[in-house]
Amino acid sequence: RPEILGLFRENVFGVVPDTKYEISFSTINEDRNAINGAATLKQIDIKIESGGKSLIIHLTLFTPNGKKKKSPVFLLIDNRGPANTDPLRKVKSEFWPVEEAIARGYGMAVFYNADVDPDKHDEFKNGIHAVLDKGPRPDNAWGTIAAWAWGASRCMDYLVTDKDVDGSRVAVVGHSRGGKTALWAGAEDTRFAIVVSNESGCAGAALARRRYGETVARINTSFPHWFNANFKKFNNNEDALPLDMHMLLALIAPRALYVDCASEDLWGDPAGSYISLYKSVPVFNILGAKSDLPEVMPPLNKQVMSGKVAYHVRDGVHNMLLKDWNFFMDFADVVMK
């Protein structure tokens, strides 16, 4: 596992600098009667400081009321913006269905990825890179996806301290570029009990060597800031990669992993994502998380679940809907008993 993790750090996502920093948590709002008394809302500022520079990650957390035990929580890496994650619940979105999760006994947390690092090619002069990078950036320096994943871990630093949260049962969830981030966060940080990759595509769950839909060259051209400089060496050169994405999925083992796709999202290669998950299963079995997926991808809207892995392909376009979340929670019901 350390060898494979090192390959991804060196060739894809980048290496986080070992710069020392201080972290602090401030609860800026708490409402124990949220959602008509069904939940407690907390809004926490997570402050990162180093060398006179700082930034704040704004974490929103809902936990169900009336439970004697601490609650399992889904942490969403929000790549769409706060409009989808209204803490006042005046605006509700299937992208983050808090009410439905609370009703099933799950907490829901979210942070906006741009709090950690802006989603633009800014020469890494802003966000957490500006706080922690020191001196010239080597070719294996961390990109923006690695920064967002690092931010998810800082949210985890808080969640394990919250008296209403079961820190041993936290799932990290991401959609699209957030799905890539969730996979890397789960690979780097073994505290996440479940990793949910929703339509993560190229450099996420989909196999690079299939060259289907979005390719390495295309993603590096469109989003050069997401990865380290070394990943550009594999533009139109996927066979030279010393890894493929089934190895990224295998880094989650023996914890729980959910991969899903959408039927009309061919850019994200649903078939290649399923093959990748299927090829990761032997590692789950080696590590004792017995799983046995069928070789053939399941039909539309049919969840396949075995041991610590699960998959579905939903009808429709690139998105994350309540239908997807219900499948995620069905899986969590089994693996986070």
Side-chain angles (χ1 to χ4, degrees), residues 239-262:
D239 287 341
L241 274 167
L243 50 87
D244 213 327
M245 307 321 286
H246 63 303
M247 296 164 68
L248 175 60
L249 303 188
L251 288 171
I252 309 304
R255 292 163 294 135
L257 171 63
Y258 202 117
V259 173
D260 80 298
C261 302

Side-chain angles (χ1 to χ4, degrees), residues 75-86:
L75 171 65
L76 173 64
I77 301 165
D78 177 19
N79 58 291
R80 288 193 169 180
N84 289 276
T85 58
D86 179 14

Side-chain angles (χ1 to χ4, degrees), residues 17 39 56 64 71 86-87 89 97 115 128 132 148 179 214 216 228 230 234 246 276 287 296 311:
I56 294 176
S71 300
D86 179 14
R89 307 313 295 153
D115 281 354
I128 194 62
L132 298 185
W148 294 337
E214 191 169 30
V216 172
N228 68 16
N230 283 334
F234 306 102
H246 63 303
S276 182
L287 297 178
V296 178
Y311 177 93

